[in-house]
Amino acid sequence: LRVRNKKLYVAAFAAVLGPLSFGFVLGYSSPVIPELRKIGDPELRLDSDQASWFGSIVTLGAAAGGILGGYLVDKVGRKLTLMLCSVPYVFGFTVIISARNVWMLYLGRMLTGLASGVTSLVVPVYISEISHPKVRGMLGSCVQLMVVTGILGAYTAGITLPWRWLAVLCSFPSCIMLLFMSFMPETPRFLLSRSRRSEAVAALRFLRGPHADHEWECEQIEAGVQEEGLNVSEFKNPSIYRPLLIGVALMFFQQLTGINAVMFYAETIFEDANFKDSRLASVVVGSIQVCFTAVAALIIDKTGRKVLLYVSGTVMALSTALFGLYFKTVLPNPNNSSNPDVWATLNSASPGTESSISWLAVVSLGCFVAGFAIGWGPIPWLVTSEIFPLKARGISSGACVLTNWAMAFLVTKEFNDLIAFLTSYGTFWLFSAFCCLNIAFTAFYVPETKGQTLEQIEAYFRRS
């Protein structure tokens, strides 16, 4: 299988250069915001509110990218849509490099966010449609692996590179992706849906090697390819709306784990635990993400999707519960804990209490990031790329990406208001409750897709 699928890995590598660019976009703000808040040029200097928008406006661009990607992926194909992503990536970073005021920074972030939204939709679809069932889980998990690798790359490079040169570096992966993808095939399923059978056979020959039975696989795919066109009335069909509801719910629950909130506090948690360099602490967090996402990629085709979701949800539920305990102990006065600026309150809390249990915050953070990376980080993206019927794949994937990024924006932007309403420890205990709800949702509604072809998964929803 390894020899026969060698070119499959090359095609998957070319595609996941898109998520690598996506990771650089997400990681760019962490080392850059502190620099821009201290910069001498008053036209570029960020205040607290502007810094918040600089970080979160990417999610708005990505939400728009989900809508655009859902349209393009079915109209022009998976390969061309992915190649087109490189344009807003490069143009966005070019705007940031040449920025003369804050609005140019916002525009650059919005454009790179738009490209990230399209990428987060099309790459999982492309990889799922070109992959052999026995390695689809591993290759699909490489999407999230490359995202966290890009984040780690931005964190690491940000230690030494100034913000303009970091933007130059971040634009490279998308250029390489454009070059590599020009030599890769379109997915056989898309080609067959357009009645381009000879091209589909050629694509299978590239992806499976010359000795595979291309005609047999082509016939299997053709049997599952339905007539072109999707009417609104067809969403009454359970074989279409059930996977759509599962996919949207997976994205909804992924953000309600509190991942963005926990990462928001990461640097300060390490500072309070006497880590001298908060940027180095970000590299530590990024390294944990990369390691455990790699572990998930290696074992997912053996353990299955649901087992890892159970383990991930359990670890995150315990970790966020410990986070709440940490805040409850450090902030014993409920009146003080209603302050939205939690860390300003922490600094005024009892130094002895804080330092004596700072290890609890660090352990909770490490466990939470590891738990998210092994399950609820990569698997929702993988499952949503597997469960949708071919003719509804574009619009359904677009709805999922839109849900994910809209929730990411709400959680990131409204987190301080939530703390003011529920207190800091109450907020993290709420996240713990959502993690428990994730486990129940997985048990009752998420199908196990390990080892099944996309046609078998589609047939499962038609039967049920």
Side-chain angles (χ1 to χ4, degrees):
L1 181 63
R2 290 179 181 177
V3 175
R4 189 172 61 195
N5 284 354
K6 189 176 293 184
K7 289 185 179 179
L8 168 61
Y9 297 138
V10 175
F13 173 76
V16 296
L17 288 172
L20 182 64
S21 302
F22 171 19
F24 271 109
V25 170
L26 293 182
Y28 180 77
S29 61
S30 182
V32 166
I33 286 177
E35 186 177 352
L36 290 177
R37 295 193 69 173
K38 300 174 183 176
I39 198 169
D41 188 347
E43 292 294 319
L44 289 170
R45 190 184 305 125
L46 302 179
D47 59 29
S48 297
D49 185 61
Q50 289 171 332
S52 173
W53 276 107
F54 183 81
S56 61
I57 201 170
V58 166
T59 59
L60 293 181
I67 299 173
L68 177 62
Y71 173 81
L72 288 176
V73 77
D74 281 337
K75 293 297 181 181
V76 303
R78 285 63 161 143
K79 174 184 173 179
L80 184 56
T81 301
L82 187 52
M83 293 175 68
L84 290 173
C85 286
S86 62
V87 177
Y89 271 130
V90 174
F91 187 60
F93 278 118
T94 301
V95 171
I96 292 174
I97 293 164
S98 58
R100 293 292 178 267
N101 54 56
V102 172
W103 290 104
M104 289 185 72
L105 293 175
Y106 288 165
L107 176 60
R109 292 287 283 170
M110 191 75 174
L111 286 170
T112 55
L114 179 72
S116 298
V118 178
T119 299
S120 64
L121 182 150
V122 68
V123 175
V125 171
Y126 181 84
I127 289 180
S128 71
E129 291 189 358
I130 66 172
S131 297
H132 189 283
K134 292 183 178 179
V135 295
R136 192 177 63 239
M138 180 189 70
L139 294 180
S141 297
C142 286
V143 174
Q144 182 70 9
L145 177 61
M146 293 300 278
V147 171
V148 296
T149 300
I151 293 173
L152 177 60
Y155 286 171
T156 306
I159 295 176
T160 56
L161 291 179
W163 64 278
R164 292 190 196 272
W165 282 106
L166 181 59
V168 173
L169 175 65
C170 291
S171 66
F172 281 163
S174 56
C175 296
I176 300 171
M177 177 191 70
L178 177 62
L179 176 64
F180 276 37
M181 282 303 300
S182 62
F183 297 100
M184 298 300 116
E186 178 58 88
T187 71
R189 284 169 178 81
F190 177 78
L191 293 171
L192 288 171
S193 72
R194 293 297 187 271
S195 301
R196 292 154 61 181
R197 196 177 197 279
S198 60
E199 294 177 57
V201 172
L204 286 171
R205 184 174 292 109
F206 179 93
L207 296 167
R208 303 289 184 259
H211 304 297
D213 191 345
H214 312 113
E215 288 293 334
W216 176 84
E217 186 170 355
C218 200
E219 290 171 4
Q220 295 299 306
I221 296 172
E222 280 181 317
V225 172
Q226 300 182 29
E227 294 180 4
E228 180 62 24
L230 180 68
N231 298 322
V232 177
S233 61
E234 291 188 66
F235 279 94
K236 297 178 182 179
N237 187 336
S239 67
I240 293 179
Y241 77 72
R242 280 193 63 217
L244 175 59
L245 291 178
I246 291 171
V248 167
L250 280 169
M251 294 304 183
F252 182 80
F253 285 127
Q254 184 193 58
Q255 291 302 320
L256 288 181
T257 60
I259 180 63
N260 284 296
V262 173
M263 298 306 291
F264 180 78
Y265 281 134
E267 289 191 12
T268 312
I269 289 172
F270 277 104
E271 286 177 359
D272 290 323
N274 298 319
F275 281 76
K276 301 298 182 184
D277 191 340
S278 61
R279 286 190 173 184
L280 182 60
S282 295
V283 173
V284 172
V285 171
S287 299
I288 294 173
Q289 283 186 305
V290 170
C291 289
F292 280 88
T293 306
V295 170
L298 291 174
I299 67 175
I300 191 169
D301 283 313
K302 294 181 180 179
T303 61
R305 284 65 162 153
K306 295 185 71 166
V307 170
L308 291 183
L309 288 176
Y310 291 142
V311 173
S312 175
T314 302
V315 171
M316 288 191 298
L318 294 174
S319 300
T320 45
L322 288 175
F323 256 120
L325 178 63
Y326 172 75
F327 285 121
K328 179 70 172 176
T329 306
V330 172
L331 302 175
N333 187 348
N335 294 326
N336 288 338
S337 63
S338 63
N339 183 353
D341 193 348
V342 175
W343 292 101
T345 311
L346 274 178
N347 292 332
S348 64
S350 170
T353 303
E354 181 183 343
S355 61
S356 64
I357 64 164
S358 59
W359 62 269
L360 180 61
V362 176
V363 170
S364 299
L365 176 66
C367 290
F368 182 88
V369 170
F372 181 82
I374 205 169
W376 277 92
I379 292 177
W381 295 104
L382 172 62
V383 171
T384 53
S385 72
E386 296 175 321
I387 62 176
F388 300 133
L390 182 62
K391 65 177 180 178
R393 197 159 290 164
I395 189 170
S396 298
S397 298
C400 291
V401 171
L402 177 61
T403 300
N404 187 281
W405 289 110
M407 288 300 300
F409 175 77
L410 288 174
V411 171
T412 304
K413 196 66 181 169
E414 302 302 321
F415 183 57
N416 279 345
D417 292 335
L418 192 60
I419 288 175
F421 181 69
L422 293 177
T423 72
S424 56
Y425 50 86
T427 299
F428 281 97
W429 285 340
L430 177 64
F431 287 143
S432 182
F434 276 122
C435 290
C436 294
L437 188 59
N438 290 358
I439 298 171
F441 174 77
T442 301
F444 290 106
Y445 296 106
V446 177
E448 180 55 74
T449 58
K450 179 183 72 170
Q452 299 182 55
T453 66
L454 299 183
E455 288 71 36
Q456 288 172 332
I457 297 169
E458 186 174 342
Y460 162 79
F461 281 107
R462 284 202 302 268
R463 288 194 306 269
S464 60

